[in-house]
Amino acid sequence: MNDPENWPPLPLNEWRDTYRTLHMWTQIAGKIRMALSPALNHWWHVTLYVSPRGLTTGRCRIRRGFSKLNSIFKSTR
């Protein structure tokens, strides 16, 4: 997979709106996670994790329980 010819083209102009929307929502999820999680070295507490369906914050402590945010990506083909 190191050969660039094996990767599909990804022209930014064709998906710029999607890129901006995804960037905005991941920033929001990261800010929420940062506010709800105790600080760790190098901002590790703000990490978004790849899940089978998109991205997730993992468990975040909220008052007496836990919650997690999931970003689910869906193909529109």
Short mmCIF file of all heavy atoms in Angstrom, two decimals, residues 17-51:
data_model
loop_
_atom_site.label_atom_id
_atom_site.label_comp_id
_atom_site.label_asym_id
_atom_site.label_seq_id
_atom_site.Cartn_x
_atom_site.Cartn_y
_atom_site.Cartn_z
N ASP A 17 -16.82 20.70 1.03
CA ASP A 17 -17.90 20.94 1.99
C ASP A 17 -17.97 19.82 3.03
O ASP A 17 -18.16 20.07 4.22
CB ASP A 17 -19.24 21.09 1.29
CG ASP A 17 -19.33 22.36 0.46
OD1 ASP A 17 -18.55 23.30 0.72
OD2 ASP A 17 -20.20 22.42 -0.43
N THR A 18 -17.82 18.59 2.59
CA THR A 18 -17.82 17.44 3.51
C THR A 18 -16.64 17.54 4.46
O THR A 18 -16.77 17.31 5.67
CB THR A 18 -17.77 16.12 2.72
OG1 THR A 18 -18.89 16.07 1.84
CG2 THR A 18 -17.77 14.92 3.63
N TYR A 19 -15.48 17.87 3.94
CA TYR A 19 -14.28 18.02 4.75
C TYR A 19 -14.50 19.07 5.84
O TYR A 19 -14.20 18.83 7.01
CB TYR A 19 -13.10 18.41 3.86
CG TYR A 19 -11.97 19.08 4.58
CD1 TYR A 19 -11.08 18.36 5.35
CD2 TYR A 19 -11.80 20.47 4.50
CE1 TYR A 19 -10.05 18.99 6.03
CE2 TYR A 19 -10.78 21.09 5.17
CZ TYR A 19 -9.90 20.36 5.93
OH TYR A 19 -8.89 20.98 6.60
N ARG A 20 -15.05 20.21 5.48
CA ARG A 20 -15.26 21.29 6.46
C ARG A 20 -16.27 20.88 7.52
O ARG A 20 -16.09 21.17 8.70
CB ARG A 20 -15.71 22.56 5.74
CG ARG A 20 -14.60 23.21 4.97
CD ARG A 20 -15.05 24.46 4.28
NE ARG A 20 -13.92 25.09 3.61
CZ ARG A 20 -14.05 25.93 2.60
NH1 ARG A 20 -15.24 26.25 2.13
NH2 ARG A 20 -12.98 26.46 2.05
N THR A 21 -17.33 20.20 7.11
CA THR A 21 -18.34 19.75 8.07
C THR A 21 -17.76 18.71 9.02
O THR A 21 -17.95 18.79 10.24
CB THR A 21 -19.56 19.15 7.32
OG1 THR A 21 -20.10 20.16 6.47
CG2 THR A 21 -20.62 18.67 8.29
N LEU A 22 -17.04 17.74 8.48
CA LEU A 22 -16.42 16.71 9.31
C LEU A 22 -15.41 17.33 10.28
O LEU A 22 -15.37 16.98 11.46
CB LEU A 22 -15.73 15.68 8.42
CG LEU A 22 -15.01 14.55 9.14
CD1 LEU A 22 -15.98 13.74 9.98
CD2 LEU A 22 -14.30 13.66 8.13
N HIS A 23 -14.63 18.27 9.82
CA HIS A 23 -13.65 18.95 10.66
C HIS A 23 -14.35 19.67 11.81
O HIS A 23 -13.93 19.58 12.97
CB HIS A 23 -12.83 19.92 9.81
CG HIS A 23 -11.72 20.57 10.55
ND1 HIS A 23 -11.66 21.92 10.74
CD2 HIS A 23 -10.63 20.05 11.16
CE1 HIS A 23 -10.57 22.23 11.43
NE2 HIS A 23 -9.94 21.10 11.70
N MET A 24 -15.44 20.37 11.52
CA MET A 24 -16.18 21.11 12.55
C MET A 24 -16.74 20.15 13.60
O MET A 24 -16.58 20.38 14.80
CB MET A 24 -17.32 21.91 11.93
CG MET A 24 -18.14 22.65 12.96
SD MET A 24 -19.64 23.40 12.30
CE MET A 24 -20.55 21.97 11.78
N TRP A 25 -17.36 19.05 13.18
CA TRP A 25 -17.97 18.13 14.13
C TRP A 25 -16.94 17.38 14.95
O TRP A 25 -17.15 17.11 16.13
CB TRP A 25 -18.92 17.16 13.42
CG TRP A 25 -20.22 17.83 13.08
CD1 TRP A 25 -20.66 18.18 11.85
CD2 TRP A 25 -21.22 18.27 14.00
NE1 TRP A 25 -21.88 18.82 11.94
CE2 TRP A 25 -22.24 18.89 13.25
CE3 TRP A 25 -21.36 18.22 15.39
CZ2 TRP A 25 -23.38 19.43 13.84
CZ3 TRP A 25 -22.50 18.76 15.97
CH2 TRP A 25 -23.49 19.34 15.20
N THR A 26 -15.79 17.06 14.38
CA THR A 26 -14.76 16.40 15.18
C THR A 26 -14.16 17.37 16.20
O THR A 26 -13.80 16.96 17.30
CB THR A 26 -13.64 15.79 14.30
OG1 THR A 26 -13.10 16.79 13.44
CG2 THR A 26 -14.15 14.62 13.48
N GLN A 27 -14.09 18.64 15.85
CA GLN A 27 -13.63 19.64 16.83
C GLN A 27 -14.61 19.75 17.99
O GLN A 27 -14.21 19.83 19.15
CB GLN A 27 -13.45 21.00 16.17
CG GLN A 27 -12.19 21.11 15.36
CD GLN A 27 -11.97 22.53 14.86
OE1 GLN A 27 -12.91 23.24 14.55
NE2 GLN A 27 -10.73 22.92 14.80
N ILE A 28 -15.92 19.74 17.68
CA ILE A 28 -16.93 19.82 18.73
C ILE A 28 -16.84 18.60 19.65
O ILE A 28 -16.85 18.73 20.88
CB ILE A 28 -18.34 19.95 18.11
CG1 ILE A 28 -18.49 21.32 17.45
CG2 ILE A 28 -19.43 19.73 19.17
CD1 ILE A 28 -19.72 21.48 16.59
N ALA A 29 -16.73 17.41 19.06
CA ALA A 29 -16.62 16.18 19.87
C ALA A 29 -15.36 16.23 20.73
O ALA A 29 -15.39 15.84 21.90
CB ALA A 29 -16.61 14.96 18.96
N GLY A 30 -14.27 16.70 20.17
CA GLY A 30 -13.03 16.81 20.94
C GLY A 30 -13.14 17.80 22.09
O GLY A 30 -12.63 17.55 23.19
N LYS A 31 -13.82 18.92 21.88
CA LYS A 31 -14.00 19.91 22.94
C LYS A 31 -14.87 19.34 24.07
O LYS A 31 -14.61 19.58 25.24
CB LYS A 31 -14.65 21.18 22.40
CG LYS A 31 -13.85 21.88 21.33
CD LYS A 31 -12.84 22.80 21.91
CE LYS A 31 -12.21 23.58 20.76
NZ LYS A 31 -10.97 24.17 21.12
N ILE A 32 -15.92 18.59 23.70
CA ILE A 32 -16.77 17.98 24.72
C ILE A 32 -15.96 16.97 25.52
O ILE A 32 -16.01 16.95 26.75
CB ILE A 32 -18.00 17.32 24.07
CG1 ILE A 32 -18.92 18.41 23.49
CG2 ILE A 32 -18.75 16.44 25.06
CD1 ILE A 32 -20.03 17.88 22.61
N ARG A 33 -15.20 16.13 24.82
CA ARG A 33 -14.37 15.13 25.51
C ARG A 33 -13.35 15.82 26.41
O ARG A 33 -13.11 15.37 27.54
CB ARG A 33 -13.66 14.25 24.51
CG ARG A 33 -12.76 13.24 25.18
CD ARG A 33 -12.64 11.99 24.39
NE ARG A 33 -11.61 11.12 24.91
CZ ARG A 33 -11.85 10.05 25.64
NH1 ARG A 33 -13.08 9.70 25.91
NH2 ARG A 33 -10.88 9.30 26.07
N MET A 34 -12.76 16.91 25.95
CA MET A 34 -11.77 17.63 26.75
C MET A 34 -12.40 18.18 28.03
O MET A 34 -11.80 18.13 29.10
CB MET A 34 -11.16 18.77 25.93
CG MET A 34 -10.06 19.51 26.64
SD MET A 34 -9.13 20.65 25.60
CE MET A 34 -10.38 21.72 24.97
N ALA A 35 -13.64 18.66 27.92
CA ALA A 35 -14.31 19.22 29.08
C ALA A 35 -14.73 18.15 30.10
O ALA A 35 -14.79 18.42 31.30
CB ALA A 35 -15.54 20.00 28.64
N LEU A 36 -15.01 16.93 29.63
CA LEU A 36 -15.55 15.89 30.50
C LEU A 36 -14.50 14.92 31.04
O LEU A 36 -14.81 14.12 31.92
CB LEU A 36 -16.61 15.08 29.75
CG LEU A 36 -17.85 15.86 29.32
CD1 LEU A 36 -18.77 14.96 28.51
CD2 LEU A 36 -18.58 16.43 30.52
N SER A 37 -13.29 14.94 30.52
CA SER A 37 -12.28 13.96 30.89
C SER A 37 -11.15 14.60 31.69
O SER A 37 -10.77 15.73 31.41
CB SER A 37 -11.68 13.31 29.64
OG SER A 37 -12.68 12.70 28.88
N PRO A 38 -10.62 13.87 32.67
CA PRO A 38 -9.46 14.42 33.40
C PRO A 38 -8.25 14.51 32.48
O PRO A 38 -8.05 13.66 31.61
CB PRO A 38 -9.22 13.40 34.52
CG PRO A 38 -9.93 12.16 34.10
CD PRO A 38 -11.02 12.57 33.16
N ALA A 39 -7.46 15.53 32.66
CA ALA A 39 -6.31 15.78 31.78
C ALA A 39 -5.25 14.68 31.90
O ALA A 39 -5.00 14.16 32.98
CB ALA A 39 -5.68 17.13 32.12
N LEU A 40 -4.66 14.33 30.78
CA LEU A 40 -3.55 13.39 30.70
C LEU A 40 -2.43 14.03 29.90
O LEU A 40 -2.64 15.00 29.18
CB LEU A 40 -3.98 12.09 30.01
CG LEU A 40 -5.01 11.24 30.74
CD1 LEU A 40 -5.46 10.10 29.84
CD2 LEU A 40 -4.44 10.69 32.02
N ASN A 41 -1.24 13.48 29.98
CA ASN A 41 -0.10 14.01 29.23
C ASN A 41 -0.39 14.08 27.74
O ASN A 41 -1.03 13.19 27.17
CB ASN A 41 1.13 13.12 29.44
CG ASN A 41 1.63 13.17 30.85
OD1 ASN A 41 1.38 14.12 31.58
ND2 ASN A 41 2.34 12.15 31.26
N HIS A 42 0.11 15.09 27.11
CA HIS A 42 0.06 15.26 25.65
C HIS A 42 -1.36 15.24 25.08
O HIS A 42 -1.57 14.81 23.97
CB HIS A 42 0.91 14.18 24.95
CG HIS A 42 2.31 14.11 25.44
ND1 HIS A 42 3.24 15.08 25.15
CD2 HIS A 42 2.94 13.21 26.24
CE1 HIS A 42 4.38 14.78 25.74
NE2 HIS A 42 4.23 13.65 26.40
N TRP A 43 -2.35 15.65 25.84
CA TRP A 43 -3.74 15.74 25.38
C TRP A 43 -4.33 14.39 25.00
O TRP A 43 -5.23 14.29 24.20
CB TRP A 43 -3.87 16.73 24.21
CG TRP A 43 -3.45 18.10 24.59
CD1 TRP A 43 -2.22 18.65 24.35
CD2 TRP A 43 -4.19 19.08 25.30
NE1 TRP A 43 -2.16 19.92 24.86
CE2 TRP A 43 -3.37 20.21 25.45
CE3 TRP A 43 -5.47 19.11 25.81
CZ2 TRP A 43 -3.81 21.35 26.09
CZ3 TRP A 43 -5.90 20.25 26.45
CH2 TRP A 43 -5.07 21.36 26.57
N TRP A 44 -3.85 13.30 25.60
CA TRP A 44 -4.37 11.97 25.28
C TRP A 44 -5.83 11.81 25.66
O TRP A 44 -6.52 10.94 25.13
CB TRP A 44 -3.54 10.90 25.97
CG TRP A 44 -2.16 10.77 25.45
CD1 TRP A 44 -1.65 11.30 24.28
CD2 TRP A 44 -1.08 10.09 26.04
NE1 TRP A 44 -0.33 10.99 24.14
CE2 TRP A 44 0.05 10.23 25.22
CE3 TRP A 44 -0.95 9.36 27.22
CZ2 TRP A 44 1.28 9.68 25.52
CZ3 TRP A 44 0.27 8.82 27.52
CH2 TRP A 44 1.37 8.97 26.67
N HIS A 45 -6.32 12.63 26.57
CA HIS A 45 -7.71 12.54 27.00
C HIS A 45 -8.69 13.11 25.97
O HIS A 45 -9.89 12.99 26.13
CB HIS A 45 -7.90 13.24 28.35
CG HIS A 45 -7.64 14.71 28.32
ND1 HIS A 45 -6.38 15.23 28.12
CD2 HIS A 45 -8.48 15.76 28.43
CE1 HIS A 45 -6.45 16.55 28.14
NE2 HIS A 45 -7.71 16.89 28.32
N VAL A 46 -8.20 13.71 24.93
CA VAL A 46 -9.05 14.33 23.91
C VAL A 46 -9.13 13.47 22.63
O VAL A 46 -9.84 13.79 21.70
CB VAL A 46 -8.52 15.75 23.56
CG1 VAL A 46 -9.44 16.49 22.63
CG2 VAL A 46 -8.31 16.56 24.82
N THR A 47 -8.46 12.36 22.63
CA THR A 47 -8.38 11.52 21.44
C THR A 47 -9.73 11.01 20.98
O THR A 47 -10.57 10.62 21.78
CB THR A 47 -7.48 10.30 21.74
OG1 THR A 47 -6.23 10.76 22.20
CG2 THR A 47 -7.29 9.44 20.52
N LEU A 48 -9.95 11.02 19.67
CA LEU A 48 -11.10 10.33 19.07
C LEU A 48 -10.57 9.01 18.52
O LEU A 48 -9.50 8.95 17.93
CB LEU A 48 -11.71 11.16 17.93
CG LEU A 48 -12.32 12.50 18.35
CD1 LEU A 48 -12.83 13.24 17.13
CD2 LEU A 48 -13.42 12.31 19.37
N TYR A 49 -11.32 7.95 18.73
CA TYR A 49 -10.89 6.62 18.32
C TYR A 49 -11.67 6.17 17.10
O TYR A 49 -12.86 6.48 16.95
CB TYR A 49 -11.13 5.62 19.45
CG TYR A 49 -10.44 6.02 20.73
CD1 TYR A 49 -11.14 6.61 21.77
CD2 TYR A 49 -9.08 5.80 20.90
CE1 TYR A 49 -10.51 6.98 22.94
CE2 TYR A 49 -8.44 6.17 22.07
CZ TYR A 49 -9.16 6.76 23.08
OH TYR A 49 -8.54 7.13 24.24
N VAL A 50 -11.03 5.42 16.23
CA VAL A 50 -11.70 4.85 15.07
C VAL A 50 -12.51 3.66 15.54
O VAL A 50 -12.02 2.80 16.27
CB VAL A 50 -10.67 4.40 14.00
CG1 VAL A 50 -11.36 3.73 12.83
CG2 VAL A 50 -9.84 5.60 13.53
N SER A 51 -13.77 3.62 15.13
CA SER A 51 -14.65 2.50 15.44
C SER A 51 -15.07 1.85 14.12
O SER A 51 -14.81 2.41 13.05
CB SER A 51 -15.88 2.99 16.22
OG SER A 51 -16.76 3.68 15.37
#
